[in-house]
């Protein structure tokens, strides 16, 4: 996980509509950048839907919400449409941003070791500096936690 006070790594990834998005597009506003393992899975759906429900409150506080996973643009589009997600989902199929933000890690599940995304959320300030970092977050609780961090 990246440390607080670090300049957030720049990126350029396609969103769920196939448009290129970069961190610098959000200059001048706070960004909640959250990394999750996979579209349409139980935990990721709870997290995304909770961010969606709270989205108007994030916007009131001047913050953008961006979700990133290794899923494809098409998968993100289906995820957005099925659950009415109002925020940006970025596709990192090559795992370059996942690695730059230090969230692509070795994971153990039932004794099996594999590589995957460790659910992590960063709060980035208006100048692109990481001001909060949370690793191994609880999917359902993370959106409310991040809204609280903006208070």
């Amino acid at each position: 996980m990246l440390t607080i006070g670090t300049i957030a790594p720049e990126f350029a990834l396609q969103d769920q509509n196939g448009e290129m998005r970069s961190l610098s597009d959000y200059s001048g506003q706070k960004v909640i950048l959250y990394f999750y393992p996979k579209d349409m899975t139980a935990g990721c759906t709870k997290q995304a839907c909770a961010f969606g429900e709270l989205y108007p409150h994030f916007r009131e506080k001047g913050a953008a919400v961006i979700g990133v996973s290794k899923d494809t643009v098409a998968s993100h589009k289906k995820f957005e449409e099925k659950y009415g997600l109002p925020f940006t989902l970025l596709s990192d199929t090559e795992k370059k941003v996942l690695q730059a933000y230090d969230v692509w890690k070795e994971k153990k599940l039932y004794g099996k070791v594999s590589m995957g995304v460790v659910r992590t959320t960063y709060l980035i300030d208006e100048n692109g500096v990481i001001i909060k970092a949370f690793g191994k977050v609880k999917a359902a609780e993370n959106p409310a936690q991040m809204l609280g961090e903006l208070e």
Side-chain angles (χ1 to χ4, degrees), residues 125-145:
D125 75 7
E126 297 85 351
N127 300 311
V129 176
I130 295 170
I131 55 173
K132 299 279 181 174
F134 301 94
K136 296 182 181 174
V137 299
K138 292 188 178 0
E141 298 169 12
N142 182 236
Q145 172 193 20

Side-chain angles (χ1 to χ4, degrees), residues 3-144:
T3 55
I4 293 169
T6 305
I7 298 286
E10 180 59 83
F11 56 76
L13 294 172
Q14 284 186 306
D15 69 10
Q16 67 267 38
N17 299 310
E19 295 177 28
M20 290 303 289
R21 301 286 184 118
S22 61
L23 183 59
S24 57
D25 293 343
Y26 300 90
S27 183
Q29 61 183 308
K30 286 189 170 81
V31 175
I32 293 160
L33 185 64
Y34 83 96
F35 294 90
Y36 65 99
K38 190 160 179 54
D39 292 342
M40 306 289 185
T41 58
C44 297
T45 298
K46 283 180 188 171
Q47 186 178 25
C49 288
F51 269 121
E53 288 170 21
L54 295 174
Y55 187 71
H57 301 292
F58 288 112
R59 295 307 303 147
E60 283 172 14
K61 299 192 179 304
V65 175
I66 304 170
V68 182
S69 79
K70 63 180 181 62
D71 292 301
T72 63
V73 168
S75 176
H76 281 342
K77 189 65 181 172
K78 287 179 192 165
F79 194 38
E80 173 203 40
E81 289 175 349
K82 183 171 182 175
Y83 295 103
L85 303 176
F87 54 87
T88 301
L89 298 172
L90 298 178
S91 173
D92 187 18
T93 57
E94 295 179 9
K95 304 179 208 66
K96 290 181 179 173
V97 176
L98 299 174
Q99 291 170 346
Y101 279 84
D102 198 28
V103 300
W104 185 252
K105 301 270 194 192
E106 191 175 89
K107 297 168 77 172
K108 290 181 185 172
L109 183 63
Y110 306 117
K112 183 181 172 215
V113 177
S114 63
M115 293 298 289
V117 175
V118 175
R119 195 180 304 277
T120 305
T121 305
Y122 292 101
L123 177 56
I124 301 168
D125 75 7
E126 297 85 351
N127 300 311
V129 176
I130 295 170
I131 55 173
K132 299 279 181 174
F134 301 94
K136 296 182 181 174
V137 299
K138 292 188 178 0
E141 298 169 12
N142 182 236

